[in-house]
Amino acid sequence: SDVCSSDLVIFDRTGNIVYQNKEDVGTSREITWDGTTESGSAVPSGLYFYVLQAIKADGTTEKDIKGTLTLTR
């Protein structure tokens, strides 16, 4: 695959963005979120929604992956 970067956006239950990260994709193809906002504040336990986009070198979106995750502290 010619995916070169990813864009991860995490929303709270009310639709507010709590985290967003766009980064180059390395060979590990691993993307992590440590349960904090972009400013480093811990978010509370609860249900969150995410959208992950895999972006090709030419800037087009290869794939949109959407889902939910539960954060437990």
Side-chain angles (χ1 to χ4, degrees):
S1 170
D2 58 350
V3 171
C4 71
S5 65
S6 64
D7 188 11
L8 173 65
V9 183
I10 298 178
F11 303 88
D12 64 16
R13 290 177 34 204
T14 60
N16 296 311
I17 295 174
V18 296
Y19 180 81
Q20 184 169 12
N21 187 18
K22 185 171 185 174
E23 62 184 45
D24 291 338
V25 175
T27 55
S28 70
R29 305 250 191 248
E30 183 175 297
I31 301 167
T32 60
W33 175 52
D34 64 0
T36 62
T37 63
E38 291 178 58
S39 63
S41 301
V43 299
S45 296
L47 182 65
Y48 293 86
F49 303 91
Y50 67 86
V51 177
L52 174 64
Q53 288 185 322
I55 303 166
K56 293 181 178 183
D58 66 4
T60 60
T61 300
E62 167 76 13
K63 184 178 260 190
D64 266 347
I65 303 169
K66 300 175 182 179
T68 60
L69 60 94
T70 302
L71 178 66
T72 306
R73 295 202 177 274

